[in-house]
Structure formats: C-alpha cells, structure tokens
Amino acid sequence: MDEKGHFVAPTPHQSLLAKLCPSLLARAYTYFASYHYNRFRRKGDKTDLERGIEYDWKALALRTIGHHSHRYSSLLNLAIVIRARFYQWNVVEDDLREVILLNREALALCPKGHPSHVKALNGLSHSLFMSYRSDRTMRDLEEGVEYDRKALALRPIGHSHRHNSLLHLSNFLRARFELWSVVDDSKEALLLSREALALCPKGHPSHPRALNSLSYSTFLSYRHSDSASDLEESARHAKDALALSPIGSRHPQRYDSLLSLALHVRARFERWSVVDDLRELILLNCEALVLCPKGHPCHATALNRLSYSLSVSYRHSRMMHDLEEVIRHARDALALSPIKSRNHIESLNRLAVSLSWLYLNTHQRDDLEQGIEYDRKALSFRPIGHSHRYDSLLNLALLVRARFERWSVVDDLREVILLNREALALCPKGHPSHARALNGLSYSIFMSYRHSGTMHDLEETIRHAKDALALSPVGSRHRISSLDNLAVSLSWLYLKTNQQDDLENSIKYTRELISLRKTNLDLSVYFWRSGKVKEIDQAVEYARKALALRPVGHPQRGPSLYHLADHLLARAIHFRGMNDLEESISHSREAIDLCLVGHSKRLNALAIHVDALIFSYTTSRNVGVLEKAVEFAKETIVDFRPGRPSHIKWLDRRCHAFILRYEQSGEDRDWEECTKYLRQTLTLCPVAHVDRPSFLDTNANTLLDRYNLVGSFNLLEEALKYAREALDFRPPWSPSRSTSLKTISNVLLVRYDRLGETSDLEEAIGHDREGLRLCDVDHLSRHHFLSNIARCLKNRYESAGNGEDLEKAIRYAREAVGFRPPGSHCREVALNALAIALHTRYTHFGSEDDLEEAINHSGEALDLCPDGHARRADILESLAVQLQSRFKRLGCLDDLEESISCCREVLLLRPVTHPQRTVYLDICIQGLQMRYERLGQRGDLEEAEKLRRDVVAVPSGPCHS
C-alpha cells in the first residue's frame, strides 16, 4: 500500500507481454480469476479460490494507480474473492480489513456519476455488513446503511437492479432493529422487502432471496407486535422459498430457506409448545447440516444451529442424550471456528450454557467451572464498545450466580452484581435487552439481600423487578422472570412491613406466573407467611401438577418431589393427616436418592425428610424413627455451608432431632451438640441479618425445653433474654411478630410459675392480647394465643380473685378448642387449657357440670398424647387433680385409683431436676393420703411418707410457693 492508501500489487519481474500490452494481459488474468472463482463456487475447492485471488492480484498489478481506467474493476473483483475467503475461513485480521480497503479505493475511483458507482457502493456496504457481523461495531452498521441508501437512490423505480439495493438495505435495517429495537427500522425493512418481492415475481432468479428477506422482516415484525398473523405469514414465505429448491438440491438458497423456516418453527414452538414443531425444528437443522458438510463455509454455523435446536429439545424433555449431542456439536463448531469469529463466540456461549445444565445433572464442579471459563473467553472477545458485550456479561453472571448458590463464596456474589450492573448500563431504556438486564440485576441484588438482610437491597430488587415487568407485556419472553422476581421480593417485603397489599400482590403475580409456566411454584411460602389455611391445599395441588410434569428420569424430578413433600408435611402437621405424612416421608426419601451427594438441592431434601421423621416420631413415639431422623440430621450438618442463609436455617431446624433424642435418652452429648449448633446460628447471623429473630426464637424455645428438664433458673433467664431480643427485632407491623410474641409469652408464663411475680403475668397477658390482634380468625397461630391468655387469666384469677378473669379465661379457651376441631394440630393444648379453667371454676363455685366437662376434655387430650408425647405429663397432672376432685365429691374409688395412676406416670416422665416436680409429688401424696384414709392400707401411708422425703430432697432455688 502506498502513502495515499492505494494498493500496490507485487511485481517481481514483468514479462515482455506485460510491458508491451499490459491491458490485454490484465484482461486475461481477470478471465482466469473469474474461471477459478466460479469453479470454487461449484466445487468448494480452496485451491481454486487461491488461484483466483492470485490472478486478480496480477491483474491489479498491471492496472497501476492513476494510469489505468479499469483499476476499479480489479479492485472490486479482488474484494469479492477475498471476501469469499473470509466468509469461508474467517481470517479476520487479514482478509476483512483488506476487503474494506479495496472497496474504499474502488469507491474513490467510481465517484457519483460513474457507471460503476452503485456497484462500488454495494460492494463497500456488503463488506461493512460482514465487518459488523464479525466485530459488532456500530459505526460499520451506520456507514453501511448510509451507502445502501445512496445506492437505492441511484436505482429509481423501474431500474432493473433496484431489487438488489432494496434487499441490501432491508438487511442492514433488520440488523439495526435487532440491536436497538427502533420500530421504524422494522417497518421500513418490511416495506423494502415487500417491494423487492414485487420486483422479483415467481421465476425471477432472485425470487427465493426476496421471499427469505420478506420472511425475516415479517418475523421481526412478529417479535415486536407478538401478532400470530405475522408469524404465520413469515413461515409461509419461508416455506415458499424452500419449495423453490427441492429436497436434495444443493442450491445455496435452500440452506438459507431452511434456516429461515427453522427460525419461525422455533418461535412457534416457544409460543404454543407443540411437540411436532420441535421435531420439525430439529429436522430442518439436520438437513441444513447435511447441505453444509465439513469444509463448507457454513458448516460451523449449521452445527451451532443444530446444537441450539437440540438444546431446546433438552429443555423440553430433559433427555440426557439431547444434552450430550448439544455439547458435542458445540465443541465441533468451536474447533472449526477461528478465534474471535461470530461462530467461535456463539460456540463458547452454547458450551457454557450446556455445561451448566450438565452440572445440574452431574453436580461435578468441573462442569460448572469449565462453563464459566468459556463465558469468560467469550466476554474477552467482546471488549468495551462491542455491541453485544452485554450478552456475554449476562451469560457469565448466570453461571457465576450458580456457583455462588452452590458454594456461597461472597466474591462470586459481588462479581455477579458488578456484571449485571455493567450489562444494564449497556442496555439503557429502549434497548431490546433492557428488561432482561433489569431482571438479572434484580435477582442478583435479591441474593445480596438474602445474604446480608440489608433493606435497601430489597427495595432496589423490587424497583428493578417492577421496571422489568412494565416493559414485559403479556406474551413477552421476559415477563416470566419479571413476575418471578417481583412475587418473591414482595413476599419478603411483606415480612418486613406487614402490608397486606404486598402479600396480595405477591400472590397475584405468582398465580399469573403459574398460568404462564404451567410448572412448579412454591406456594407454601404464602401459606406460612399469611397463616391462611386455604393456601396449603392449593400448594399441594400445584406441587402435584409439577411432579406430573417431571416423570421418572427427569433431572428436575428431585426438587418437585421435595416441594410436594414439604407441602404435604405442612398439611399433615396442621390437620393430622397421617396419609399426608406417609406420602411426605416417601417423596422426600425419593428426592434424597435422586439428589446425590454434592447436589445443590440435596440439603433441602434431607431437611424436609428430617422434619417429616420428627413429626412422625412425635405422633408415634417410635424410637427407630427418631434414630433415622438423627442420622439424616447429621448429614445436613455435614453439608452445612455458613455463607448460605438457607443453610443456617436448616442448621437451626435440624437441632430439633437432637433435642428430642435428649428428651428420650437423657444423653448430655445430644444436648451439647444441639446447643453448639444453635449458638452457631446466632454467630453466623449478625444483628442486621434478616433471619436472626427466627434463630433467637428457636434458641429461646430450646433453652425453655432444657429448663423444663433440668430446672436450672439460669436457662430460663437466658431464654427470656433471647425472646426479648427477637421481639425487639420485629416491630408491630412485622407479620412474624406473632411468632416472637408467642415465644416470650411462653417463657414469661413459665417464669411466673417459678417466681410468682405479677409483673411477668401481666406482661405475658399483654403479649397474648397483641398476638390476638395480629392473628385474625382464620390465622393458624390464633389458637396458641387463645390458650395462653386463658392460662394467664386463670392464674390472675387465682392471685387476685377477680371472677371476670376466670370467665374470660373459659371463653378464650372455648374459642381455642373451636378453632382446633378434632384431628387438628395442637388440639390437646386448647383442651387442656379449657379443662384447667373449668376445674378452677368448679373449685370456687362447685358446679358439677364444670367438673365433668373438665374431666371429659382432659380425657380427650390424653388420648391425643400417646406414650412419649411431649405434653402427656402436663395433661396427666391436670387429669389427676380433676379426678381427685370428683372422688372428694362423689366418693368413687375408681377415680382415686386412676388419679394415683396418673400421678405415678407423671413422676416417671418428669426427672428429679424438673422445676415442677414438687407439685407433682404433692398431688401424688394427696391421692395416697386419701386412699389410706378410705382403705386404711399402711402401704399407701409409707409410700406417701417416702414421697415427702423426696420433696425435701428436691434441689432448692427461687420458686413460686
């Protein structure tokens, strides 16, 4: 190239003919070049193409700069053959740059008015379009549009080559619409394609090309309007173009027609999910690959298209052989594609995505790491300024996010947020991927909120999700992600604000999501957060439908199984459905078998299975079931990862199994292991952590259980400290405040029983009243507050003697029983509270009806608490006292015998260290004393005397006399 930018062809040694008649020799070289180029187009032999390029260079060398009027012709010819070499082998650094320079010089030699000016304009615009497709540089696209508009203006209506300029310009406008989604570009491209087709009727050599152009333009119109008629018209034109080159034809237009039709069939499948469309999509891409065998310039492109269609098939069927074929074709395409070429980047992206899917099946970290490596390479080939850099940013963010969700490395979370923020900056409002970028950033910030509990993260999550939903009308491919993000984040906002509108909107978006997805969604979150009974049946129904969509062999069957198991367990707990419980155990066990060690969802399956086994133990008291629960609980702790908030929650819940075994066996090691992990939850959750109040409540309840076993007053004080801290974290508008109110009320009531301080009783009553205000008539926790306030008011009546307190206690207790009909969870608590209140009224007013009703309720409650039940001892104590009262009134010895039997069982259930053991001893002594007075058996008197000595031996401490 000389100083002015003109090409100077190499001239080693000119022959005599070249010196005497260079024009004639140049024409001969041009002829030979044309011959070899045409033979290359027929046979695809690279040697022919290289010979053609060589002859064109020789012709250019003979047509020197400034001295030959046909130099422009050699420049254009040479540009065509080198462009063909670039198209075939993608030597980006050399051929494409050289082609553009050749075309620019040719255009400079063919100014406006020159007979080849339009040809030079088209040649340069064609080269610029190829440059844009390779580097995605916007200036190439805009410059190409400018040249094509000039060429079209020079070919007015009636010009024999006007159709070529129309097709060229429509191609550029479609590319610009795909980049910026400017509707005017789509409309203009459609108008130009329609005019071109009108100029190329059936029989015209460019008729198939015009049909394909109109098909693409109509498809872009469908992408914007979501009109089914546009999609059908687009497919019709593609089929017409395909019909013009019959099966077996090697016509180059058949390949283009196959790809065009495949595009529309894919869109039709995505819209209506008809399996026949999926099969047709794969067949079309298979034929396209046959038409482009190895060595063909489009072979790598055909491999990538087939790989994509098989990935669609995999997402639909989850068949592993589809995924394996996707990976194989993508690897082949990558090996054939020169570095930085469009096919190279597309192959990297396809491999990254498919390896992430493989990771979901194999749970081999290497698969995920390799996918991330491929996405990083793709991003490196799209530097700052590349028009498709945002796409690589979003793809990489997805895989790094998957790694964070599995291994909880905080640096991964930070990187995900940074990648999504950069992608959003590259996709401003109006960009076709703006909604996608908003959804990516929304979800990544929500992950940050779940990790740190920072409120502004949740607010930003909701803001981005709302913006994305506003940009995603019904039918938009981004609407599902927007609905999902918004539904989940609003449900978490409800936990913070207790605004019912947040919960209702969350449920509304979730229902729409279900109608769009027709797959599994976890509605149990709304059941637990709203406390509404009606939601659990819907959760079970949706989970069953989801499982039906994932038959045996489906890679996502495991998560569907444990979702259903979780919902069934919730229903079993609250309505004592033993069939639901058995089904929950079965499904969660199957989920564990499907989620092998290392599976990202194995911990979820293990946790639900442990919960189901624990509930089964509490109803059956089968020690074998408890041992199984402990073994599975140990595995959940082994798989525990501190960086995962949900894992901290599982750690918190799994300790329940160790508590139960401690209660059953009395082994201190179970208690020590349990408390170690419970305290760890508080260490891992700083003061601002969103889950800290839940863990504080659990610690308080666990310490209260321990206090009931060993009677250490320090445990009771520590439990109260945690309960107060949990309540302070939950302001009056928090929907979870009722949980903390229930905890602190229980602790205060136990401390009142121990110390008899009226302030504890009054505070407990205040918390119970607030709990009743927060829990309306169909809230699942209402019965707890009704039963608690009944006990508190009964205690206050005994202390202060206000008869109104006793009547209110009975009324609240009756409401609690009515709220817990036969078969309901915790019915025995409400029955016991009512029985105690009725017996108290009997002792003061002597109504036999109160006594009989109290005994009946205690008997029913005892039937609900078989051997080993945690509440059996409390109910036995109440029944023993009530039976003694009836013996005193009616003198029936059977009542006294049963009372003494109940007392003896209570003493066996309550260890020597229990804080209320002296109360149980006193009741038993009274029964034995009465039987001695009735029957005169010295053994009763001796047993009573022994029990009195036990009372003296009970460890002393602060106690309510």
Side-chain angles (χ1 to χ4, degrees):
M1 187 180 294
D2 65 7
E3 296 175 350
K4 297 181 179 180
H6 300 296
F7 271 93
V8 180
T11 53
H13 177 72
Q14 288 191 341
S15 65
L16 182 62
L17 182 60
K19 292 178 180 179
L20 297 176
C21 195
S23 297
L24 180 62
L25 187 56
R27 189 177 299 175
Y29 285 151
T30 301
Y31 171 79
F32 289 135
S34 176
Y35 167 78
H36 284 291
Y37 175 65
N38 287 328
R39 195 163 78 165
F40 159 75
R41 293 184 63 187
R42 291 195 308 271
K43 298 184 177 182
D45 189 345
K46 186 178 181 181
T47 304
D48 284 324
L49 184 60
E50 294 296 342
R51 293 288 296 277
I53 292 171
E54 180 187 349
Y55 281 123
D56 269 330
W57 273 117
K58 289 180 178 180
L60 182 62
L62 292 170
R63 292 170 172 173
T64 55
I65 299 167
H67 295 91
H68 202 287
S69 59
H70 289 284
R71 178 176 173 80
Y72 74 88
S73 179
S74 292
L75 288 165
L76 292 174
N77 291 338
L78 183 57
I80 289 172
V81 290
I82 295 179
R83 195 161 60 214
R85 186 168 67 183
F86 166 76
Y87 185 69
Q88 173 91 10
W89 290 282
N90 288 293
V91 185
V92 179
E93 291 79 2
D94 298 325
D95 284 349
L96 188 55
R97 190 180 303 114
E98 194 171 37
V99 166
I100 292 173
L101 291 173
L102 289 167
N103 282 124
R104 289 194 188 282
E105 184 183 349
L107 182 60
L109 295 174
C110 302
K112 192 172 182 179
H114 192 283
S116 293
H117 180 63
V118 175
K119 185 178 179 182
L121 285 169
N122 284 334
L124 181 54
S125 71
H126 193 174
S127 299
L128 289 169
F129 186 73
M130 292 181 71
S131 176
Y132 165 73
R133 294 293 296 274
S134 174
D135 296 334
R136 299 290 174 175
T137 306
M138 262 307 294
R139 69 172 181 273
D140 290 337
L141 185 61
E142 295 297 340
E143 192 178 0
V145 172
E146 177 189 352
Y147 289 136
D148 267 343
R149 288 198 188 281
K150 288 180 180 179
L152 181 62
L154 294 171
R155 286 174 171 173
I157 295 173
H159 194 286
S160 59
H161 291 288
R162 179 174 172 82
H163 66 276
N164 282 326
S165 295
L166 289 166
L167 295 173
H168 270 288
L169 181 56
S170 66
N171 209 21
F172 267 106
L173 291 171
R174 283 196 298 269
R176 194 164 69 177
F177 173 76
E178 289 175 345
L179 185 61
W180 295 113
S181 293
V182 178
V183 179
D184 289 344
D185 284 341
S186 174
K187 291 179 179 177
E188 186 179 1
L190 185 60
L191 290 173
L192 293 172
S193 296
R194 290 195 190 282
E195 184 182 350
L197 183 62
L199 295 175
C200 302
K202 197 169 184 178
H204 192 284
S206 294
H207 182 62
R209 182 180 164 210
L211 282 169
N212 282 327
S213 177
L214 182 55
S215 175
Y216 280 119
S217 298
T218 313
F219 180 74
L220 288 185
S221 178
Y222 159 74
R223 290 280 297 274
H224 172 70
S225 66
D226 198 42
S227 168
S229 60
D230 285 341
L231 182 60
E232 292 304 321
E233 182 186 356
S234 177
R236 185 174 70 251
H237 293 315
K239 287 179 180 178
D240 290 344
L242 188 62
L244 293 173
S245 46
I247 296 174
S249 168
R250 290 279 176 176
H251 195 284
Q253 286 297 334
R254 182 165 180 84
Y255 170 75
D256 291 338
S257 301
L258 285 167
L259 295 186
S260 177
L261 183 56
L263 187 67
H264 310 105
V265 172
R266 187 181 87 194
R268 197 165 60 196
F269 172 75
E270 290 171 349
R271 181 170 182 138
W272 289 292
S273 299
V274 178
V275 178
D276 288 344
D277 286 335
L278 181 57
R279 296 194 187 102
E280 185 180 359
L281 175 65
I282 294 172
L283 289 174
L284 289 169
N285 282 294
C286 283
E287 185 184 347
L289 183 61
V290 171
L291 291 176
C292 304
K294 196 167 184 178
H296 192 281
C298 294
H299 184 63
T301 302
L303 282 169
N304 275 326
R305 294 295 180 92
L306 179 56
S307 176
Y308 180 82
S309 62
L310 288 168
S311 72
V312 175
S313 176
Y314 170 74
R315 290 201 303 271
H316 176 73
S317 67
R318 300 291 175 177
M319 301 303 290
M320 277 302 295
H321 65 79
D322 283 339
L323 183 57
E324 291 165 357
E325 203 168 350
V326 169
I327 295 172
R328 179 166 57 84
H329 289 317
R331 289 192 191 281
D332 290 345
L334 182 66
L336 293 170
S337 304
I339 294 175
K340 297 185 182 181
S341 69
R342 185 185 181 191
N343 274 324
H344 183 73
I345 296 174
E346 187 175 340
S347 302
L348 287 170
N349 288 335
R350 180 77 52 240
L351 272 173
V353 172
S354 53
L355 285 169
S356 70
W357 292 340
L358 184 63
Y359 158 74
L360 291 175
N361 285 277
T362 64
H363 303 283
Q364 297 296 316
R365 184 166 185 168
D366 288 346
D367 292 330
L368 184 59
E369 294 295 344
Q370 193 174 4
I372 291 173
E373 181 186 349
Y374 283 134
D375 264 340
R376 290 198 191 282
K377 284 183 180 178
L379 181 61
S380 69
F381 296 144
R382 288 172 169 173
I384 295 172
H386 194 287
S387 60
H388 278 61
R389 178 175 172 81
Y390 72 90
D391 191 50
S392 292
L393 288 165
L394 293 172
N395 290 339
L396 178 58
L398 282 174
L399 268 65
V400 177
R401 190 175 82 193
R403 187 168 67 183
F404 170 76
E405 289 174 340
R406 180 64 180 87
W407 286 281
S408 307
V409 179
V410 178
D411 287 344
D412 283 340
L413 179 58
R414 295 194 187 104
E415 184 181 6
V416 168
I417 294 173
L418 290 174
L419 290 168
N420 279 292
R421 288 198 188 282
E422 183 183 351
L424 183 61
L426 295 175
C427 302
K429 196 168 184 178
H431 192 283
S433 291
H434 184 60
R436 179 187 170 201
L438 282 168
N439 282 325
L441 182 57
S442 174
Y443 189 79
S444 62
I445 294 175
F446 179 71
M447 289 169 60
S448 176
Y449 168 72
R450 291 288 293 119
H451 181 74
S452 66
T454 308
M455 189 62 185
H456 70 75
D457 283 341
L458 183 58
E459 292 167 350
E460 187 178 358
T461 295
I462 294 170
R463 185 174 72 251
H464 291 318
K466 285 182 176 179
D467 290 345
L469 187 63
L471 294 170
S472 307
V474 176
S476 169
R477 55 184 172 159
H478 299 301
R479 188 168 181 85
I480 286 177
S481 298
S482 304
L483 287 166
D484 201 357
N485 286 344
L486 194 51
V488 173
S489 54
L490 283 172
S491 72
W492 281 92
L493 182 63
Y494 168 74
L495 282 180
K496 285 282 188 181
T497 64
N498 200 25
Q499 294 296 315
Q500 194 65 25
D501 287 347
D502 292 331
L503 182 63
E504 293 301 325
N505 285 332
S506 181
I507 294 174
K508 179 184 75 174
Y509 293 135
T510 302
R511 293 192 191 285
E512 182 183 349
L513 194 53
I514 290 167
S515 68
L516 293 174
R517 247 184 188 170
K518 298 181 176 60
T519 186
N520 181 44
L521 284 168
D522 189 359
L523 278 190
S524 66
V525 66
Y526 307 112
F527 167 68
W528 288 115
R529 291 178 187 173
S530 67
K532 305 297 183 182
V533 178
K534 61 184 179 181
E535 301 293 348
I536 189 61
D537 289 331
Q538 292 182 346
V540 171
E541 177 190 351
Y542 290 131
R544 287 196 191 282
K545 289 180 179 178
L547 184 61
L549 294 171
R550 291 170 172 175
V552 176
H554 194 289
Q556 294 300 311
R557 181 173 173 83
S560 289
L561 282 164
Y562 73 68
H563 275 301
L564 177 56
D566 196 18
H567 306 331
L568 288 167
L569 177 60
R571 192 163 69 179
I573 290 172
H574 286 276
F575 305 110
R576 290 195 175 274
M578 293 300 103
N579 290 336
D580 284 341
L581 177 60
E582 292 302 321
E583 191 177 355
S584 176
I585 292 172
S586 173
H587 288 322
S588 56
R589 187 69 182 86
E590 184 183 348
I592 292 171
D593 293 338
L594 291 175
C595 300
L596 304 176
V597 175
H599 194 291
S600 59
K601 302 298 183 182
R602 181 173 176 83
L603 190 61
N604 301 64
L606 283 165
I608 293 165
H609 191 58
V610 171
D611 280 343
L613 291 173
I614 286 173
F615 183 65
S616 177
Y617 167 73
T618 59
T619 56
S620 67
R621 313 313 287 189
N622 185 328
V623 178
V625 172
L626 178 59
E627 290 300 326
K628 287 182 181 178
V630 171
E631 288 304 312
F632 283 113
K634 287 179 180 177
E635 185 178 345
T636 65
I637 291 171
V638 168
D639 198 32
F640 166 71
R641 291 184 292 281
R644 293 292 299 277
S646 60
H647 286 203
I648 303 172
K649 187 184 299 182
W650 293 136
L651 182 64
D652 170 84
R653 293 171 65 184
R654 297 297 63 74
C655 293
H656 194 185
F658 293 101
I659 294 172
L660 289 174
R661 192 166 73 171
Y662 170 73
E663 292 175 352
Q664 189 269 332
S665 66
E667 293 285 346
D668 284 339
R669 70 171 184 272
D670 287 330
W671 168 252
E672 290 166 0
E673 191 167 4
C674 172
T675 53
K676 178 182 71 174
Y677 289 121
L678 281 176
R679 295 185 191 281
Q680 189 180 358
T681 62
L682 296 180
T683 304
L684 294 170
C685 293
V687 172
H689 196 286
V690 67
D691 288 322
R692 184 173 175 84
S694 298
F695 303 145
L696 286 166
D697 278 330
T698 302
N699 274 270
N701 287 317
T702 304
L703 289 167
L704 187 61
D705 290 339
R706 172 74 166 169
Y707 164 78
N708 286 330
L709 290 172
V710 302
S712 172
F713 190 69
N714 290 335
L715 292 172
L716 188 59
E717 290 298 295
E718 191 176 1
L720 184 58
K721 182 188 75 172
Y722 286 139
R724 290 196 189 283
E725 186 181 349
L727 189 63
D728 290 341
F729 271 108
R730 287 169 167 164
W733 57 85
S734 171
S736 298
R737 184 172 172 84
S738 60
T739 303
S740 296
L741 287 168
K742 183 168 57 178
T743 300
I744 195 170
S745 174
N746 288 336
V747 176
L748 286 167
L749 194 53
V750 172
R751 195 167 79 156
Y752 170 76
D753 289 338
R754 179 73 178 257
L755 302 179
E757 293 183 359
T758 307
S759 58
D760 287 337
L761 189 60
E762 293 299 331
E763 186 180 354
I765 291 172
H767 292 318
D768 287 329
R769 291 192 191 281
E770 183 183 353
L772 286 176
R773 288 195 300 271
L774 293 176
C775 300
D776 53 19
V777 292
D778 61 344
H779 197 286
L780 287 171
S781 294
R782 184 174 177 82
H783 75 95
H784 289 289
F785 294 107
L786 290 167
S787 300
N788 269 13
I789 200 170
R791 291 171 58 200
C792 291
L793 290 171
K794 188 271 299 182
N795 287 340
R796 192 165 73 176
Y797 166 75
E798 291 177 337
S799 174
N802 186 343
E804 186 179 352
D805 283 339
L806 184 57
E807 294 304 319
K808 285 183 178 179
I810 293 172
R811 187 169 72 249
Y812 283 130
R814 287 196 191 282
E815 186 180 346
V817 171
F819 191 80
R820 299 275 84 188
S824 298
H825 177 56
C826 291
R827 177 173 169 82
E828 68 279 0
V829 177
L831 287 167
N832 192 39
L834 179 56
I836 291 172
L838 288 168
H839 182 259
T840 301
R841 189 166 69 177
Y842 164 76
T843 59
H844 286 81
F845 299 103
S847 170
E848 188 175 349
D849 290 341
D850 285 340
L851 180 59
E852 292 299 327
E853 186 179 356
I855 292 172
N856 288 336
H857 289 321
S858 292
E860 182 185 348
L862 189 62
D863 291 339
L864 294 173
C865 300
D867 291 343
H869 194 285
R871 298 189 180 94
R872 183 172 175 85
D874 293 333
I875 295 167
L876 283 167
E877 177 207 349
S878 300
L879 183 58
V881 173
Q882 293 153 19
L883 289 169
Q884 285 183 15
S885 295
R886 192 165 68 177
F887 169 74
K888 292 175 183 177
R889 184 180 185 95
L890 303 178
C892 179
L893 191 59
D894 288 343
D895 287 337
L896 186 58
E897 295 290 348
E898 188 178 353
S899 173
I900 293 171
S901 176
C902 289
C903 289
R904 285 172 173 165
E905 186 177 348
V906 171
L907 292 175
L908 290 174
L909 293 173
R910 294 306 193 197
V912 175
T913 55
H914 194 281
Q916 295 293 313
R917 185 171 175 84
T918 55
V919 176
Y920 308 143
L921 288 168
D922 284 339
I923 296 169
C924 192
I925 290 169
Q926 291 174 23
L928 291 167
Q929 188 71 35
M930 285 187 285
R931 191 166 67 177
Y932 169 73
E933 292 171 357
R934 177 71 175 268
L935 301 178
Q937 294 178 355
R938 188 164 183 81
D940 289 336
L941 189 61
E942 291 173 352
E943 185 179 353
E945 190 61 33
K946 178 179 178 299
L947 292 177
R948 286 192 181 95
R949 290 195 296 271
D950 290 343
V951 171
V952 176
V954 171
S956 62
C959 184
H960 175 208
S961 61

